[in-house]
Amino acid sequence: MNNQPLRNTTLAWKKADTDHHIHPFTDHAAMANGGGTRIITKAEGCWLEDSEGERMLDGMAGLWCVALGYSQERLAKAAYNQMVELPYYNTFFQTAQPPSIELAEKLASITPEGLNHVFYGSSGSESNDTIVRLVRHFWQVKGQPEKTVIIGRELGYHGSTLAGVSLGGQSGMHAQGGLPLPDFEHVMPPYWYAKGGDLTEEEFGLAAAKAVEDKILELGPEKVAAFIGEPIMGAGGLLYPPENYWPEINRICEQYDILLVADEVITGFGRTGHWFATERYGIRPDLMTFAKAITSGYIPLSAVMVGERVAEAINNSGDDFNHGYTYSGHPVACAVALENIAIMEELDLVNKIKTETGPYLHKRLNEALGDHPLVGEIRGEGMLAAIELVEDKATRKHFADIGKVGGICRDHCFNSGLIMRATRDIMLISPPMIIEKDEIDILVDRAKSAINATAKDLGIL
Ligand code: PXG
C-alpha cells in the first residue's frame, strides 16, 4: 500500500471538503454552488497544480509567503534533519535548543539596528498578540500602567485572533463578534488614491500622520501605549504611504513617548527589495513583527523583534514575563528559517529583487496596463504590485458596487491560469520572490488578458 488518501478523486475530495471542512474567509454556500473547492495537489517553483492536472502561475506566493517557491528541497532536508536530531523541545523555564538560539542571533544581525532580541510565535496573529502583551507589560514595568491604548489604522490587517482583529481596521472582521476589544483605536490610513481628494500626496501624507497625532491628543498621551502599522498596508489593498508619512510618525511617537510597532509580516524578508520595509521608509520601530517568508511558508513560524529599550525593561523587571506558546522557538521551524535565510543570502535574492526582477515586473506591468481604461493606478516596488481598477481613471472614481469588478477579474485570472487576489477592486500581485523574467512575462500577459476580459464584461472594450 502506498500512503495516498483512499478516495483520491476530485469529486470525493470536494464532497468531503464540503461536508466537513470549515474554510477561513469563505462563503460556504457560494463555494458549494460554484462547484466546490479547487484542490491543489502539487507545486513546483512558481507553479501550482490542481487535482485535475491544471497548472496555474501563483501570483500570490500562497498567501504572500512562499518566498523561495515550492521546490526548495533544502528546506525539507533542514526540517527532516532537525526532526531526527531533536524534533521538539521548548524554550520555557530556562531551556533552549541550538536552532532557536542561532536563529535569534541571525535575526538580530539582519534586522535594522537596535532590534536585537527575539520572541517567537507560530503565526503573525500570535506575534501581534505578543505585541499587545509586551507593550502593556512594558508600561507597567515603567510605572505607567495607564498607558494601554494601541492605535492602528482603518484597513490595517494584523491577524485573526481577538487581539489581531482589534489591532486591525477591517470593518468586516470587527462586525463579527463585537470587536475591537476596548483600548484599540483606529485612524485613517495613508491611502492617497482613495482618500486624498484634492490634496497632493505630500499634503495628504502629513494629514494622515496628523490623524495619529490628533488621536493621541484626543485620548491623552498618558493613555496611549503604542502605534502599530504595516509599512505598506498589504491585505487592505497594498496601500503605499506618501514618502513623508513615516518620518512624521517617527516624530510623533518620539514626541509623545509612544512605542512604534512595525508589522512586517508581509513586507519582511526581501519582498520590497529591502530585507525589511522599515529600512526603505526610515521607520524607527521599537518592535517589529514578522512571519510568512521567514520560512517561505514551509512551516509555521513568527517572531517579534524587540528593541533595546523594551527588552531591557522586560528582562530586568525582576519578574517573569508571563507569556509564551508551546511552540515558541520550535526547533524544526527555526532550522527551516535558518536554511531559508541562508538560501536567500546565497542567491543574493533581496538585491536581485531590488535591481533586476522587481524593476522588470513593474516596467512590464506599466507597459502592458498603464494606459488601460479600467486601470486607475499601478503601484508597487520589488515583488509587490497592485492594480487598482476604477470606473473613471481621470477622477480616481471607484465603482459603486465595490468588490464586484475585482471578483470578476479574479475569476478571469483563475480561468486563465493565474492566481491573483482581489481586495475590493484592487488586484494584488505578490509572486514567489524567485520568479524569473520569463515567468514575469507570463504573469503580465495573463493579468492583461484577465483585465481585458473584465473590461469586455463591463462593455468597456
Ligand atoms: N500581519 C500582517 C501584516 C498580515 O498580513 C498577519 C499579521 C497575520 O498573520 P497570520 O500568520 O496569523 O495569518 C497578516 C496575515 C490576504 C491574507 O488575503 C493576508 C494575511 C493572511 C491571510 C490572507 O491578503 N496576512
Side-chain angles (χ1 to χ4, degrees):
M1 282 289 285
N2 63 26
N3 46 13
Q4 287 292 308
L6 287 176
R7 296 166 302 153
N8 54 350
T9 67
T10 303
L11 272 180
W13 275 327
K14 283 190 179 193
K15 177 165 181 348
D17 190 67
T18 306
D19 288 350
H20 302 293
H21 185 182
I22 301 180
H23 292 250
F25 287 89
T26 298
D27 176 340
H28 280 74
M31 183 164 76
N33 291 337
T37 26
R38 187 163 206 172
I39 299 156
I40 306 300
T41 48
K42 287 187 212 157
E44 197 189 341
C46 300
W47 294 84
L48 301 168
E49 191 177 315
D50 74 10
S51 55
E52 295 294 282
E54 291 281 335
R55 269 163 61 85
M56 288 156 284
L57 181 59
D58 186 3
M60 276 306 295
L63 285 176
W64 320 78
C65 52
V66 188
L68 293 181
Y70 290 92
S71 358
Q72 276 295 344
E73 268 191 48
R74 280 174 60 184
L75 299 185
K77 284 188 176 138
Y80 175 85
N81 291 338
Q82 185 57 44
M83 279 203 184
V84 172
E85 181 80 18
L86 178 71
Y88 175 77
Y89 202 73
N90 64 72
T91 55
F92 283 46
F93 317 133
Q94 305 185 12
T95 60
Q97 4 74 5
S100 61
I101 301 169
E102 287 174 24
L103 181 61
E105 186 181 38
K106 183 72 193 173
L107 292 174
S109 79
I110 63 172
T111 49
E113 219 183 300
L115 298 174
N116 291 322
H117 306 266
V118 183
F119 194 100
Y120 292 112
S122 301
S123 69
S125 302
E126 264 186 23
S127 277
N128 281 332
D129 274 46
T130 295
I131 290 280
V132 177
R133 305 264 356 257
L134 258 176
V135 158
R136 292 191 174 163
H137 182 50
F138 169 79
W139 287 116
Q140 279 175 342
V141 169
K142 295 301 264 184
Q144 291 178 265
E146 68 286 1
K147 259 170 127 43
T148 53
V149 178
I150 304 182
I151 301 174
R153 282 127 11 126
E154 292 148 19
L155 298 178
Y157 190 88
H158 299 291
S160 209
T161 54
L162 292 174
V165 174
S166 298
L167 290 165
Q170 300 278 334
S171 52
M173 295 174 91
H174 288 173
Q176 293 177 346
L179 295 171
L181 297 169
D183 284 352
F184 292 88
E185 295 281 341
H186 303 90
V187 296
M188 98 171 141
Y191 179 18
W192 174 81
Y193 192 82
K195 299 187 186 282
D198 293 335
L199 299 182
T200 63
E201 288 201 48
E202 201 167 53
E203 287 164 347
F204 181 71
L206 291 181
K210 187 165 179 298
V212 178
E213 188 164 24
D214 290 347
K215 181 57 84 177
I216 293 169
L217 292 171
E218 175 197 320
L219 297 163
E222 71 287 354
K223 298 256 173 55
V224 181
F227 171 78
I228 186 167
E230 303 152 77
I232 301 155
M233 299 172 75
L238 269 183
L239 314 179
Y240 281 76
E243 294 292 335
N244 57 357
Y245 178 77
W246 281 110
E248 262 301 279
I249 297 289
N250 283 333
R251 176 193 68 74
I252 292 164
C253 289
E254 280 156 24
Q255 181 172 337
Y256 298 103
D257 200 15
I258 283 155
L259 295 174
L260 176 50
V261 185
D263 182 339
E264 292 246 22
V265 167
I266 283 179
T267 50
F269 294 91
R271 185 150 288 283
T272 63
H274 303 262
W275 274 98
F276 296 94
T278 44
E279 296 158 2
R280 157 71 180 79
Y281 286 101
I283 306 171
R284 294 193 291 275
D286 296 286
L287 298 151
M288 180 196 275
T289 317
F290 45 65
K292 296 193 189 274
I294 187 174
T295 57
S296 284
Y298 280 47
I299 192 164
L301 182 70
S302 66
V304 174
M305 292 304 299
V306 183
E308 287 304 335
R309 181 181 179 205
V310 177
E312 198 193 312
I314 305 270
N315 290 342
N316 299 318
S317 72
D319 198 358
D320 291 5
F321 175 37
N322 296 319
H323 176 72
Y325 309 109
T326 301
Y327 301 126
S328 286
H330 194 290
V332 179
C334 291
V336 172
L338 280 163
E339 191 71 355
N340 185 61
I341 295 167
I343 298 170
M344 286 181 167
E345 287 178 336
E346 285 165 34
L347 295 175
D348 198 17
L349 188 59
V350 182
N351 193 39
K352 184 172 170 183
I353 290 171
K354 183 174 182 188
T355 58
E356 205 182 317
T357 47
Y360 186 74
L361 170 67
H362 293 281
K363 177 171 148 293
R364 288 285 288 110
L365 279 173
N366 278 294
E367 283 167 1
L369 288 161
D371 293 331
H372 198 287
L374 201 54
V375 174
E377 181 179 66
I378 303 170
R379 51 181 180 259
E381 256 175 20
M383 276 305 137
L384 281 174
I387 304 169
E388 182 127 13
L389 306 178
V390 290
E391 188 176 326
D392 185 356
K393 215 174 162 78
T395 58
R396 314 201 307 260
K397 183 168 176 252
H398 288 94
F399 290 98
D401 190 359
I402 255 187
K404 187 172 156 216
V405 174
I408 296 173
C409 185
R410 186 209 39 226
D411 291 347
H412 281 304
C413 286
F414 235 57
N415 296 334
S416 65
L418 170 66
I419 307 270
M420 257 210 286
R421 167 146 152 41
T423 288
R424 301 185 300 286
D425 295 323
I426 306 168
M427 306 311 297
L428 302 175
I429 298 172
S430 165
M433 297 186 208
I434 45 116
I435 193 168
E436 294 289 353
K437 288 182 180 168
D438 54 343
E439 292 167 320
I440 291 176
D441 288 339
I442 299 172
L443 189 157
V444 173
D445 288 349
R446 291 186 181 181
K448 184 175 178 178
S449 37
I451 290 172
N452 279 339
T454 308
K456 277 200 190 101
D457 289 350
L458 299 172
I460 292 173
L461 276 187

PDB file of all heavy atoms in Angstrom, residues 297-328:
ATOM      1  N   GLY A 297       6.989  29.954   4.237  1.00  0.00           N
ATOM      2  CA  GLY A 297       5.691  29.303   4.433  1.00  0.00           C
ATOM      3  C   GLY A 297       5.748  27.788   4.524  1.00  0.00           C
ATOM      4  O   GLY A 297       4.711  27.138   4.623  1.00  0.00           O
ATOM      5  N   TYR A 298       6.955  27.203   4.533  1.00  0.00           N
ATOM      6  CA  TYR A 298       7.034  25.734   4.555  1.00  0.00           C
ATOM      7  C   TYR A 298       6.614  25.169   5.903  1.00  0.00           C
ATOM      8  O   TYR A 298       6.227  24.005   5.995  1.00  0.00           O
ATOM      9  CB  TYR A 298       8.466  25.268   4.225  1.00  0.00           C
ATOM     10  CG  TYR A 298       8.815  25.257   2.747  1.00  0.00           C
ATOM     11  CD1 TYR A 298       8.523  26.335   1.922  1.00  0.00           C
ATOM     12  CD2 TYR A 298       9.457  24.156   2.171  1.00  0.00           C
ATOM     13  CE1 TYR A 298       8.863  26.328   0.585  1.00  0.00           C
ATOM     14  CE2 TYR A 298       9.810  24.134   0.834  1.00  0.00           C
ATOM     15  CZ  TYR A 298       9.503  25.224   0.042  1.00  0.00           C
ATOM     16  OH  TYR A 298       9.848  25.199  -1.285  1.00  0.00           O
ATOM     17  N   ILE A 299       6.742  25.990   6.939  1.00  0.00           N
ATOM     18  CA  ILE A 299       6.388  25.547   8.292  1.00  0.00           C
ATOM     19  C   ILE A 299       6.058  26.825   9.081  1.00  0.00           C
ATOM     20  O   ILE A 299       6.666  27.867   8.816  1.00  0.00           O
ATOM     21  CB  ILE A 299       7.552  24.742   8.903  1.00  0.00           C
ATOM     22  CG1 ILE A 299       7.136  24.021  10.170  1.00  0.00           C
ATOM     23  CG2 ILE A 299       8.772  25.608   9.145  1.00  0.00           C
ATOM     24  CD1 ILE A 299       8.123  22.923  10.571  1.00  0.00           C
ATOM     25  N   PRO A 300       5.086  26.754   9.993  1.00  0.00           N
ATOM     26  CA  PRO A 300       4.703  27.995  10.683  1.00  0.00           C
ATOM     27  C   PRO A 300       5.787  28.509  11.629  1.00  0.00           C
ATOM     28  O   PRO A 300       6.331  27.747  12.425  1.00  0.00           O
ATOM     29  CB  PRO A 300       3.455  27.585  11.491  1.00  0.00           C
ATOM     30  CG  PRO A 300       2.984  26.310  10.879  1.00  0.00           C
ATOM     31  CD  PRO A 300       4.200  25.626  10.345  1.00  0.00           C
ATOM     32  N   LEU A 301       6.082  29.782  11.510  1.00  0.00           N
ATOM     33  CA  LEU A 301       6.995  30.442  12.452  1.00  0.00           C
ATOM     34  C   LEU A 301       6.767  31.942  12.361  1.00  0.00           C
ATOM     35  O   LEU A 301       6.551  32.477  11.273  1.00  0.00           O
ATOM     36  CB  LEU A 301       8.461  30.142  12.112  1.00  0.00           C
ATOM     37  CG  LEU A 301       9.487  30.762  13.072  1.00  0.00           C
ATOM     38  CD1 LEU A 301       9.460  30.083  14.435  1.00  0.00           C
ATOM     39  CD2 LEU A 301      10.903  30.706  12.506  1.00  0.00           C
ATOM     40  N   SER A 302       6.814  32.596  13.506  1.00  0.00           N
ATOM     41  CA  SER A 302       6.742  34.062  13.508  1.00  0.00           C
ATOM     42  C   SER A 302       7.634  34.574  14.622  1.00  0.00           C
ATOM     43  O   SER A 302       8.108  33.790  15.459  1.00  0.00           O
ATOM     44  CB  SER A 302       5.304  34.537  13.730  1.00  0.00           C
ATOM     45  OG  SER A 302       4.861  34.183  15.027  1.00  0.00           O
ATOM     46  N   ALA A 303       7.853  35.869  14.610  1.00  0.00           N
ATOM     47  CA  ALA A 303       8.701  36.439  15.661  1.00  0.00           C
ATOM     48  C   ALA A 303       8.348  37.889  15.886  1.00  0.00           C
ATOM     49  O   ALA A 303       7.837  38.573  15.000  1.00  0.00           O
ATOM     50  CB  ALA A 303      10.170  36.318  15.267  1.00  0.00           C
ATOM     51  N   VAL A 304       8.632  38.336  17.098  1.00  0.00           N
ATOM     52  CA  VAL A 304       8.624  39.766  17.407  1.00  0.00           C
ATOM     53  C   VAL A 304      10.076  40.143  17.667  1.00  0.00           C
ATOM     54  O   VAL A 304      10.748  39.510  18.489  1.00  0.00           O
ATOM     55  CB  VAL A 304       7.790  40.055  18.673  1.00  0.00           C
ATOM     56  CG1 VAL A 304       7.922  41.521  19.060  1.00  0.00           C
ATOM     57  CG2 VAL A 304       6.336  39.699  18.447  1.00  0.00           C
ATOM     58  N   MET A 305      10.555  41.145  16.952  1.00  0.00           N
ATOM     59  CA  MET A 305      11.880  41.690  17.257  1.00  0.00           C
ATOM     60  C   MET A 305      11.671  42.803  18.283  1.00  0.00           C
ATOM     61  O   MET A 305      10.813  43.676  18.098  1.00  0.00           O
ATOM     62  CB  MET A 305      12.549  42.279  16.008  1.00  0.00           C
ATOM     63  CG  MET A 305      12.938  41.293  14.942  1.00  0.00           C
ATOM     64  SD  MET A 305      14.010  39.941  15.450  1.00  0.00           S
ATOM     65  CE  MET A 305      15.485  40.790  16.012  1.00  0.00           C
ATOM     66  N   VAL A 306      12.457  42.761  19.311  1.00  0.00           N
ATOM     67  CA  VAL A 306      12.271  43.686  20.428  1.00  0.00           C
ATOM     68  C   VAL A 306      13.496  44.596  20.541  1.00  0.00           C
ATOM     69  O   VAL A 306      14.629  44.108  20.603  1.00  0.00           O
ATOM     70  CB  VAL A 306      12.068  42.888  21.742  1.00  0.00           C
ATOM     71  CG1 VAL A 306      11.797  43.837  22.904  1.00  0.00           C
ATOM     72  CG2 VAL A 306      10.930  41.885  21.590  1.00  0.00           C
ATOM     73  N   GLY A 307      13.232  45.894  20.543  1.00  0.00           N
ATOM     74  CA  GLY A 307      14.319  46.867  20.647  1.00  0.00           C
ATOM     75  C   GLY A 307      14.885  46.940  22.058  1.00  0.00           C
ATOM     76  O   GLY A 307      14.286  46.437  23.014  1.00  0.00           O
ATOM     77  N   GLU A 308      16.039  47.610  22.181  1.00  0.00           N
ATOM     78  CA  GLU A 308      16.785  47.633  23.446  1.00  0.00           C
ATOM     79  C   GLU A 308      15.949  48.155  24.606  1.00  0.00           C
ATOM     80  O   GLU A 308      15.965  47.605  25.699  1.00  0.00           O
ATOM     81  CB  GLU A 308      18.042  48.510  23.311  1.00  0.00           C
ATOM     82  CG  GLU A 308      19.156  47.884  22.486  1.00  0.00           C
ATOM     83  CD  GLU A 308      19.612  46.514  23.004  1.00  0.00           C
ATOM     84  OE1 GLU A 308      19.448  46.229  24.204  1.00  0.00           O
ATOM     85  OE2 GLU A 308      20.102  45.724  22.180  1.00  0.00           O
ATOM     86  N   ARG A 309      15.238  49.248  24.355  1.00  0.00           N
ATOM     87  CA  ARG A 309      14.513  49.894  25.445  1.00  0.00           C
ATOM     88  C   ARG A 309      13.498  48.940  26.080  1.00  0.00           C
ATOM     89  O   ARG A 309      13.411  48.802  27.299  1.00  0.00           O
ATOM     90  CB  ARG A 309      13.808  51.126  24.872  1.00  0.00           C
ATOM     91  CG  ARG A 309      13.038  51.910  25.870  1.00  0.00           C
ATOM     92  CD  ARG A 309      12.355  53.088  25.199  1.00  0.00           C
ATOM     93  NE  ARG A 309      11.602  53.824  26.194  1.00  0.00           N
ATOM     94  CZ  ARG A 309      10.554  54.568  25.915  1.00  0.00           C
ATOM     95  NH1 ARG A 309      10.140  54.697  24.683  1.00  0.00           N
ATOM     96  NH2 ARG A 309       9.922  55.201  26.866  1.00  0.00           N
ATOM     97  N   VAL A 310      12.733  48.268  25.216  1.00  0.00           N
ATOM     98  CA  VAL A 310      11.703  47.361  25.724  1.00  0.00           C
ATOM     99  C   VAL A 310      12.354  46.112  26.317  1.00  0.00           C
ATOM    100  O   VAL A 310      11.992  45.661  27.413  1.00  0.00           O
ATOM    101  CB  VAL A 310      10.697  46.991  24.612  1.00  0.00           C
ATOM    102  CG1 VAL A 310       9.665  45.996  25.113  1.00  0.00           C
ATOM    103  CG2 VAL A 310      10.004  48.244  24.079  1.00  0.00           C
ATOM    104  N   ALA A 311      13.350  45.566  25.626  1.00  0.00           N
ATOM    105  CA  ALA A 311      13.995  44.334  26.107  1.00  0.00           C
ATOM    106  C   ALA A 311      14.620  44.554  27.477  1.00  0.00           C
ATOM    107  O   ALA A 311      14.482  43.731  28.380  1.00  0.00           O
ATOM    108  CB  ALA A 311      15.055  43.878  25.107  1.00  0.00           C
ATOM    109  N   GLU A 312      15.270  45.698  27.628  1.00  0.00           N
ATOM    110  CA  GLU A 312      15.944  45.955  28.907  1.00  0.00           C
ATOM    111  C   GLU A 312      14.930  46.031  30.052  1.00  0.00           C
ATOM    112  O   GLU A 312      15.125  45.447  31.122  1.00  0.00           O
ATOM    113  CB  GLU A 312      16.729  47.264  28.795  1.00  0.00           C
ATOM    114  CG  GLU A 312      17.781  47.382  29.875  1.00  0.00           C
ATOM    115  CD  GLU A 312      18.324  48.787  29.947  1.00  0.00           C
ATOM    116  OE1 GLU A 312      18.662  49.335  28.872  1.00  0.00           O
ATOM    117  OE2 GLU A 312      18.370  49.327  31.063  1.00  0.00           O
ATOM    118  N   ALA A 313      13.821  46.716  29.783  1.00  0.00           N
ATOM    119  CA  ALA A 313      12.802  46.847  30.836  1.00  0.00           C
ATOM    120  C   ALA A 313      12.197  45.491  31.194  1.00  0.00           C
ATOM    121  O   ALA A 313      12.049  45.149  32.373  1.00  0.00           O
ATOM    122  CB  ALA A 313      11.702  47.808  30.377  1.00  0.00           C
ATOM    123  N   ILE A 314      11.895  44.702  30.178  1.00  0.00           N
ATOM    124  CA  ILE A 314      11.243  43.409  30.430  1.00  0.00           C
ATOM    125  C   ILE A 314      12.230  42.451  31.105  1.00  0.00           C
ATOM    126  O   ILE A 314      11.889  41.760  32.067  1.00  0.00           O
ATOM    127  CB  ILE A 314      10.773  42.784  29.083  1.00  0.00           C
ATOM    128  CG1 ILE A 314       9.877  43.736  28.327  1.00  0.00           C
ATOM    129  CG2 ILE A 314      10.171  41.396  29.283  1.00  0.00           C
ATOM    130  CD1 ILE A 314       8.440  43.665  28.589  1.00  0.00           C
ATOM    131  N   ASN A 315      13.448  42.428  30.574  1.00  0.00           N
ATOM    132  CA  ASN A 315      14.416  41.451  31.090  1.00  0.00           C
ATOM    133  C   ASN A 315      14.892  41.798  32.499  1.00  0.00           C
ATOM    134  O   ASN A 315      15.361  40.925  33.220  1.00  0.00           O
ATOM    135  CB  ASN A 315      15.624  41.333  30.135  1.00  0.00           C
ATOM    136  CG  ASN A 315      15.229  40.655  28.822  1.00  0.00           C
ATOM    137  OD1 ASN A 315      14.191  40.004  28.751  1.00  0.00           O
ATOM    138  ND2 ASN A 315      16.041  40.814  27.793  1.00  0.00           N
ATOM    139  N   ASN A 316      14.792  43.068  32.876  1.00  0.00           N
ATOM    140  CA  ASN A 316      15.250  43.466  34.215  1.00  0.00           C
ATOM    141  C   ASN A 316      14.096  43.857  35.124  1.00  0.00           C
ATOM    142  O   ASN A 316      14.278  44.625  36.067  1.00  0.00           O
ATOM    143  CB  ASN A 316      16.238  44.638  34.094  1.00  0.00           C
ATOM    144  CG  ASN A 316      17.454  44.220  33.294  1.00  0.00           C
ATOM    145  OD1 ASN A 316      17.962  43.112  33.479  1.00  0.00           O
ATOM    146  ND2 ASN A 316      17.895  45.076  32.390  1.00  0.00           N
ATOM    147  N   SER A 317      12.915  43.325  34.840  1.00  0.00           N
ATOM    148  CA  SER A 317      11.749  43.741  35.635  1.00  0.00           C
ATOM    149  C   SER A 317      11.729  43.078  37.008  1.00  0.00           C
ATOM    150  O   SER A 317      10.940  43.452  37.870  1.00  0.00           O
ATOM    151  CB  SER A 317      10.463  43.401  34.890  1.00  0.00           C
ATOM    152  OG  SER A 317      10.272  42.000  34.911  1.00  0.00           O
ATOM    153  N   GLY A 318      12.543  42.064  37.185  1.00  0.00           N
ATOM    154  CA  GLY A 318      12.547  41.345  38.460  1.00  0.00           C
ATOM    155  C   GLY A 318      11.441  40.302  38.541  1.00  0.00           C
ATOM    156  O   GLY A 318      11.217  39.707  39.594  1.00  0.00           O
ATOM    157  N   ASP A 319      10.755  40.095  37.412  1.00  0.00           N
ATOM    158  CA  ASP A 319       9.649  39.127  37.408  1.00  0.00           C
ATOM    159  C   ASP A 319       9.662  38.403  36.058  1.00  0.00           C
ATOM    160  O   ASP A 319      10.281  38.862  35.105  1.00  0.00           O
ATOM    161  CB  ASP A 319       8.325  39.885  37.599  1.00  0.00           C
ATOM    162  CG  ASP A 319       7.193  38.963  38.032  1.00  0.00           C
ATOM    163  OD1 ASP A 319       7.430  37.745  38.146  1.00  0.00           O
ATOM    164  OD2 ASP A 319       6.075  39.470  38.231  1.00  0.00           O
ATOM    165  N   ASP A 320       8.925  37.277  36.007  1.00  0.00           N
ATOM    166  CA  ASP A 320       8.739  36.622  34.704  1.00  0.00           C
ATOM    167  C   ASP A 320       7.875  37.506  33.815  1.00  0.00           C
ATOM    168  O   ASP A 320       7.044  38.254  34.312  1.00  0.00           O
ATOM    169  CB  ASP A 320       7.944  35.305  34.864  1.00  0.00           C
ATOM    170  CG  ASP A 320       8.719  34.228  35.594  1.00  0.00           C
ATOM    171  OD1 ASP A 320       9.836  34.514  36.061  1.00  0.00           O
ATOM    172  OD2 ASP A 320       8.182  33.109  35.699  1.00  0.00           O
ATOM    173  N   PHE A 321       8.064  37.384  32.509  1.00  0.00           N
ATOM    174  CA  PHE A 321       7.056  37.877  31.560  1.00  0.00           C
ATOM    175  C   PHE A 321       6.136  36.679  31.345  1.00  0.00           C
ATOM    176  O   PHE A 321       6.552  35.683  30.752  1.00  0.00           O
ATOM    177  CB  PHE A 321       7.742  38.334  30.268  1.00  0.00           C
ATOM    178  CG  PHE A 321       6.789  38.744  29.167  1.00  0.00           C
ATOM    179  CD1 PHE A 321       5.607  39.416  29.436  1.00  0.00           C
ATOM    180  CD2 PHE A 321       7.104  38.476  27.836  1.00  0.00           C
ATOM    181  CE1 PHE A 321       4.736  39.798  28.413  1.00  0.00           C
ATOM    182  CE2 PHE A 321       6.248  38.857  26.800  1.00  0.00           C
ATOM    183  CZ  PHE A 321       5.064  39.515  27.106  1.00  0.00           C
ATOM    184  N   ASN A 322       4.917  36.755  31.879  1.00  0.00           N
ATOM    185  CA  ASN A 322       4.038  35.577  31.920  1.00  0.00           C
ATOM    186  C   ASN A 322       3.343  35.373  30.583  1.00  0.00           C
ATOM    187  O   ASN A 322       2.142  35.599  30.437  1.00  0.00           O
ATOM    188  CB  ASN A 322       3.008  35.742  33.043  1.00  0.00           C
ATOM    189  CG  ASN A 322       3.690  35.773  34.393  1.00  0.00           C
ATOM    190  OD1 ASN A 322       4.625  35.004  34.637  1.00  0.00           O
ATOM    191  ND2 ASN A 322       3.267  36.672  35.265  1.00  0.00           N
ATOM    192  N   HIS A 323       4.105  34.963  29.619  1.00  0.00           N
ATOM    193  CA  HIS A 323       3.591  34.859  28.256  1.00  0.00           C
ATOM    194  C   HIS A 323       4.451  33.857  27.489  1.00  0.00           C
ATOM    195  O   HIS A 323       5.663  33.820  27.674  1.00  0.00           O
ATOM    196  CB  HIS A 323       3.669  36.236  27.586  1.00  0.00           C
ATOM    197  CG  HIS A 323       3.263  36.246  26.147  1.00  0.00           C
ATOM    198  ND1 HIS A 323       1.955  36.102  25.756  1.00  0.00           N
ATOM    199  CD2 HIS A 323       3.984  36.371  25.008  1.00  0.00           C
ATOM    200  CE1 HIS A 323       1.891  36.146  24.428  1.00  0.00           C
ATOM    201  NE2 HIS A 323       3.107  36.304  23.955  1.00  0.00           N
ATOM    202  N   GLY A 324       3.835  33.064  26.631  1.00  0.00           N
ATOM    203  CA  GLY A 324       4.619  32.151  25.793  1.00  0.00           C
ATOM    204  C   GLY A 324       3.732  31.088  25.197  1.00  0.00           C
ATOM    205  O   GLY A 324       2.610  30.866  25.651  1.00  0.00           O
ATOM    206  N   TYR A 325       4.214  30.470  24.133  1.00  0.00           N
ATOM    207  CA  TYR A 325       3.450  29.449  23.426  1.00  0.00           C
ATOM    208  C   TYR A 325       4.240  28.141  23.448  1.00  0.00           C
ATOM    209  O   TYR A 325       5.477  28.159  23.389  1.00  0.00           O
ATOM    210  CB  TYR A 325       3.213  29.868  21.976  1.00  0.00           C
ATOM    211  CG  TYR A 325       2.628  31.273  21.827  1.00  0.00           C
ATOM    212  CD1 TYR A 325       3.394  32.317  21.330  1.00  0.00           C
ATOM    213  CD2 TYR A 325       1.306  31.543  22.201  1.00  0.00           C
ATOM    214  CE1 TYR A 325       2.864  33.596  21.181  1.00  0.00           C
ATOM    215  CE2 TYR A 325       0.768  32.821  22.057  1.00  0.00           C
ATOM    216  CZ  TYR A 325       1.548  33.841  21.549  1.00  0.00           C
ATOM    217  OH  TYR A 325       1.024  35.103  21.410  1.00  0.00           O
ATOM    218  N   THR A 326       3.536  27.014  23.483  1.00  0.00           N
ATOM    219  CA  THR A 326       4.205  25.708  23.457  1.00  0.00           C
ATOM    220  C   THR A 326       5.259  25.670  22.354  1.00  0.00           C
ATOM    221  O   THR A 326       6.350  25.132  22.526  1.00  0.00           O
ATOM    222  CB  THR A 326       3.168  24.593  23.200  1.00  0.00           C
ATOM    223  OG1 THR A 326       2.186  24.642  24.235  1.00  0.00           O
ATOM    224  CG2 THR A 326       3.812  23.218  23.161  1.00  0.00           C
ATOM    225  N   TYR A 327       4.920  26.284  21.221  1.00  0.00           N
ATOM    226  CA  TYR A 327       5.818  26.190  20.065  1.00  0.00           C
ATOM    227  C   TYR A 327       6.691  27.422  19.863  1.00  0.00           C
ATOM    228  O   TYR A 327       7.264  27.603  18.784  1.00  0.00           O
ATOM    229  CB  TYR A 327       5.003  25.880  18.803  1.00  0.00           C
ATOM    230  CG  TYR A 327       4.244  24.585  18.940  1.00  0.00           C
ATOM    231  CD1 TYR A 327       2.876  24.510  18.743  1.00  0.00           C
ATOM    232  CD2 TYR A 327       4.916  23.417  19.313  1.00  0.00           C
ATOM    233  CE1 TYR A 327       2.183  23.324  18.907  1.00  0.00           C
ATOM    234  CE2 TYR A 327       4.225  22.218  19.484  1.00  0.00           C
ATOM    235  CZ  TYR A 327       2.867  22.175  19.283  1.00  0.00           C
ATOM    236  OH  TYR A 327       2.193  20.997  19.456  1.00  0.00           O
ATOM    237  N   SER A 328       6.810  28.294  20.886  1.00  0.00           N
ATOM    238  CA  SER A 328       7.730  29.438  20.765  1.00  0.00           C
ATOM    239  C   SER A 328       9.152  28.912  20.539  1.00  0.00           C
ATOM    240  O   SER A 328       9.703  28.211  21.394  1.00  0.00           O
ATOM    241  CB  SER A 328       7.717  30.265  22.052  1.00  0.00           C
ATOM    242  OG  SER A 328       6.533  31.011  22.169  1.00  0.00           O
TER     243      SER A 328
END
